[in-house]
Amino acid sequence: MRWVRSSARLGLRAVSYKSAAQGLKHTPPLPTCVSARTAGTAIQRPTATDVSAGRPLRVCVVGSGPAGFYVTKYLLKEEAELGCEVVIDIVDRLPTPYGLVRFGVAPDHPEVKAVQNDFDQVASDARVSFFGNVCFGKDVSAAQLSELYDVVVLAYGAAGDRELTVPGADLEGVFAARAFVSWYNGHPDFAHMSEEFAKALASSDTVAVVGVGNVALDCARILAKGANALKGSDICDHALDVLSSAGAGLRRVVILGRRGHVQASFTMKELRELTKLDGVACLVRQEELELSRTPASLDELKTARPKNRIDALLTKVADGSDSVSAEAKAVEFRFLVGLSDVLPNNSIPNRVGAVRVERNQLELDEATGAQRAIGSGVKEVIECGMVLGSIGYRCLPVHGVPYDERNSIIANERGRVQGVPGMYCSGWARRGPSGIIGTNITDARSVVAAIVEDVSSKQLALGDKAESRQGLRNMLMGGQDGAPGLRGSGGTKKKVQVVDWDGYQRINRDEVARGAMKGKPREKFVHVEEMLSIATAVGDEE
Ligand SMILES: Cc1cc2nc3c(=O)[nH]c(=O)nc-3n(C[C@H](O)[C@H](O)[C@H](O)COP(=O)(O)OP(=O)(O)OC[C@H]3O[C@@H](n4cnc5c(N)ncnc54)[C@H](O)[C@@H]3O)c2cc1C
């Protein structure tokens, strides 16, 4: 996974929270379904006016991460092309928006999070409504959304893991990197894990991170930096507490890559940062770099400049690695070592005590041109008390949405969900867990182009729809005309407490105020109930 740090590099304009909260000055909406191209020499093409019977195009976007926000942003710009107003409801299972910008991007990379300002502008647009705390597949189904809306865009990301499957991977102390990242970033689903991480960190001075992508490097950096260096960031207090107590004895983080450094997917910025941490050495083995430089890898280095720079930096680090004392706190890269199994702790047999790795060699697959890791039979044991599997996030199937099992994504053709007219997908749910925040812009533009094409060419039959926004509210909150949401279908008829944008702003303000008292940008709320009590539900206001 590769990403960039700065929203400026994505061409995004930063605005303050204040100006965003005051509302976006957007071009006034066109009169409902009056074609913008009826006069002059503009090319005449079929527009939504022909099919939508004098009403706006009603769109529901599921997921308020970068993918959801970019689809919303670019679809709002297409009113002229569509010939009608567009209204968009964004649904998210959590009361807070932004997806991995809030729960993935590292706390010591605040400049990346500035992209939220762009998303705030989108959410403040009068044509957009936020439905937080609404879980697609639980509170509302795919069929219900298709019934209510002309267009449904699924942008619910990848909320699962590619799991380690080696023997011993079920021992206590083995976690998915996603759990660790989500925990230190305050995701409510992982807020209960402090004790488990504390136990694992206290049991040994070494952590093994399996995988060589940017998420692996984020985990290694956060662990190695420790609490003191992170206390001015928006890392959650519960993580600071664990890092400053159980994590204080940490001496080594070992990053394990089964192939060579040329095949690693981390980027130069993240690597450089790891080599410059205060009081933390970076270790690389010259012989492993040498073994990685097969003829095919050397060819790759010739053509890929970023890889060349990584090769040069790792070589420089390796040159200095021998002089680092064995006691120094360090992040150590190991290349060409595949995880064979996780071994139990001698005195606590249900807990991890070490990982056993097998030295690998690279072999060229002539058919694909890729280099595979082949075990050499030579094994090595690395003692550790915690293992983080960082081998990828995974999009999970949702009832009623066609799923591509092989690639673990929504089954789609260039963003059109297979076999479901009017349903589209974008972001990690569409293409899998790869790419930077900006990659979701390209994705969004192509999905928006597909929607415009389908509406304009009348591929999309826009039937009679009830007022979708109110219809969704009724459905979720048990309004007069509404059927109860799925959450209530077990007989309890529980209403869903929807958090609207004003509700989220209240959460945001409280978080920023709590943070200010501690010298942090914000102190996140980590329990949904807590957030709900701060955000007044729309239903309660009505
Ligand atoms: C640890 C980590 C660090 C990263 N750091 C960077 C970085 O520094 N720079 C960079 O450019 N990129 C970074 N990335 C990549 C970037 O975060 C992704 O490209 C981007 O977030 C993907 O966007 P998405 O909208 O598809 O998914 P997500 O961001 O995951 O958003 C999905 C949204 O859908 C919601 N959702 C999920 N299920 C449901 C449901 N059933 N019903 C309703 N809503 C649902 C979620 O709550 C979430 O809000 C990082 C990724 C990770 C994992």
Side-chain angles (χ1 to χ4, degrees):
M1 200 185 301
R2 297 141 187 264
W3 54 67
V4 293
R5 295 268 178 71
S6 162
S7 59
R9 286 188 56 186
L10 306 176
L12 305 173
R13 196 157 37 97
V15 293
S16 69
Y17 277 110
K18 193 169 166 227
S19 61
Q22 282 166 346
L24 174 68
K25 303 280 177 293
H26 65 84
T27 318
L30 294 167
T32 303
C33 282
V34 172
S35 171
R37 296 190 168 201
T38 48
T41 54
I43 303 161
Q44 294 296 312
R45 63 173 86 198
T47 69
T49 315
D50 303 314
V51 284
S52 63
R55 62 168 177 78
L57 185 73
R58 297 188 174 114
V59 181
C60 183
V61 172
V62 180
S64 65
F69 269 113
Y70 285 130
V71 166
T72 305
K73 174 176 173 168
Y74 291 108
L75 197 51
L76 288 175
K77 292 180 193 284
E78 292 298 332
E79 286 188 337
E81 196 65 26
L82 287 161
C84 69
E85 193 186 355
V86 177
V87 291
I88 303 180
D89 296 336
I90 304 178
V91 166
D92 202 288
R93 63 173 282 245
L94 292 173
T96 53
Y98 314 132
L100 286 170
V101 177
R102 180 178 165 105
F103 297 119
V105 171
D108 56 346
H109 289 170
E111 67 286 359
V112 179
K113 297 177 195 231
V115 72
Q116 289 174 188
N117 298 332
D118 192 37
F119 300 158
D120 285 351
Q121 277 206 318
V122 175
S124 305
D125 190 298
R127 296 163 291 177
V128 176
S129 199
F130 179 66
F131 285 72
N133 193 41
V134 176
C135 186
F136 174 67
K138 188 172 164 199
D139 299 322
V140 62
S141 69
Q144 285 173 316
L145 285 187
S146 290
E147 186 73 23
L148 283 170
Y149 292 88
D150 301 312
V151 168
V152 176
V153 183
L154 305 176
Y156 48 71
D161 305 295
R162 280 188 62 213
E163 287 167 13
L164 296 176
T165 52
V166 297
D170 55 349
L171 286 169
E172 281 179 25
V174 180
F175 306 96
R178 189 176 69 92
F180 183 61
V181 166
S182 304
W183 167 74
Y184 67 61
N185 275 322
H187 192 298
D189 292 357
F190 300 86
H192 63 281
M193 292 187 71
S194 296
E195 203 182 319
E196 290 174 66
F197 287 121
K199 272 190 194 162
L201 284 170
S203 72
S204 155
D205 64 1
T206 302
V207 173
V209 181
V210 183
V212 279
N214 278 335
V215 175
L217 267 56
D218 272 0
C219 292
R221 191 182 67 255
I222 294 296
L223 282 164
K225 268 188 160 178
N228 248 342
L230 294 166
K231 63 183 179 206
S233 76
D234 73 353
I235 191 170
C236 285
D237 266 359
H238 62 217
L240 276 184
D241 289 346
V242 170
L243 291 176
S244 65
S245 51
L250 185 79
R251 303 309 306 160
R252 190 146 297 199
V253 182
V254 188
I255 302 173
L256 304 169
R258 73 193 163 88
R259 297 193 294 163
H261 67 287
V262 182
Q263 289 75 43
S265 57
F266 56 72
T267 44
M268 183 65 178
K269 267 190 172 176
E270 272 63 28
L271 173 63
R272 193 187 298 116
E273 201 175 352
L274 213 47
T275 65
K276 293 189 170 191
L277 297 182
D278 272 350
V280 182
C282 186
L283 303 176
V284 177
R285 299 186 180 200
Q286 203 66 265
E287 67 272 19
E288 289 179 352
L289 298 184
E290 219 27 74
L291 278 172
S292 302
R293 293 190 189 104
T294 59
S297 293
L298 290 174
D299 280 350
E300 225 178 299
L301 284 176
K302 266 185 222 151
T303 50
R305 201 163 158 258
K307 296 237 177 221
N308 231 305
R309 290 167 59 217
I310 287 174
D311 178 63
L313 179 55
L314 287 171
T315 306
K316 190 172 153 205
V317 173
D319 284 343
S321 291
D322 285 346
S323 56
V324 175
S325 107
E327 283 74 46
K329 188 174 187 183
V331 173
E332 181 178 11
F333 280 96
R334 297 296 310 274
F335 295 107
L336 289 168
V337 286
L339 182 67
S340 297
D341 49 353
V342 182
L343 304 172
N345 181 305
N346 286 337
S347 35
I348 318 169
N350 60 344
R351 175 161 287 286
V352 55
V355 288
R356 183 158 37 205
V357 295
E358 179 173 9
R359 302 252 174 95
N360 286 336
Q361 289 159 354
L362 290 176
E363 187 182 271
L364 183 65
D365 181 340
E366 299 287 352
T368 63
Q371 293 193 86
R372 282 189 310 229
I374 304 291
S376 69
V378 179
K379 301 228 173 170
E380 179 186 338
V381 171
I382 301 169
E383 285 186 14
C384 59
M386 177 159 135
V387 177
L388 296 177
S390 185
I391 55 173
Y393 284 41
R394 194 169 76 89
C395 168
L396 299 174
V398 173
H399 179 72
V401 179
Y403 188 67
D404 174 347
E405 291 280 352
R406 191 158 165 264
N407 297 304
S408 300
I409 51 174
I410 295 172
N412 75 93
E413 274 158 33
R414 286 174 291 127
R416 293 179 173 97
V417 176
Q418 273 174 13
V420 191
M423 194 172 276
Y424 303 81
C425 57
S426 197
W428 280 17
R430 167 188 173 177
R431 64 176 195 275
S434 67
I436 60 171
I437 291 170
T439 316
N440 301 295
I441 296 178
T442 321
D443 228 19
R445 283 182 183 277
S446 78
V447 171
V448 167
I451 294 169
V452 172
E453 188 185 319
D454 292 351
V455 172
S456 301
S457 65
K458 302 185 190 176
Q459 293 290 312
L460 202 58
L462 307 183
D464 284 341
K465 306 270 175 190
E467 213 285 288
S468 50
R469 187 167 288 171
Q470 192 54 43
L472 181 62
R473 281 196 188 122
N474 290 344
M475 179 180 289
L476 295 167
M477 298 187 284
Q480 266 189 334
D481 307 326
L486 295 188
R487 205 181 279 188
S489 60
T492 55
K493 296 210 169 179
K494 197 176 160 203
K495 289 181 189 178
V496 179
Q497 190 177 341
V498 177
V499 175
D500 65 5
W501 195 248
D502 288 342
Y504 165 64
Q505 288 305 327
R506 280 188 278 278
I507 296 172
N508 178 45
R509 278 194 293 274
D510 276 20
E511 286 187 345
V512 171
R514 277 158 38 115
M517 289 190 283
K518 302 171 184 173
K520 298 168 78 175
R522 71 175 60 237
E523 184 60 52
K524 290 177 193 164
F525 292 106
V526 298
H527 299 292
V528 169
E529 292 308 323
E530 218 176 352
M531 296 181 203
L532 294 182
S533 70
I534 292 161
T536 308
V538 176
D540 294 347
E541 283 171 347
E542 282 175 351

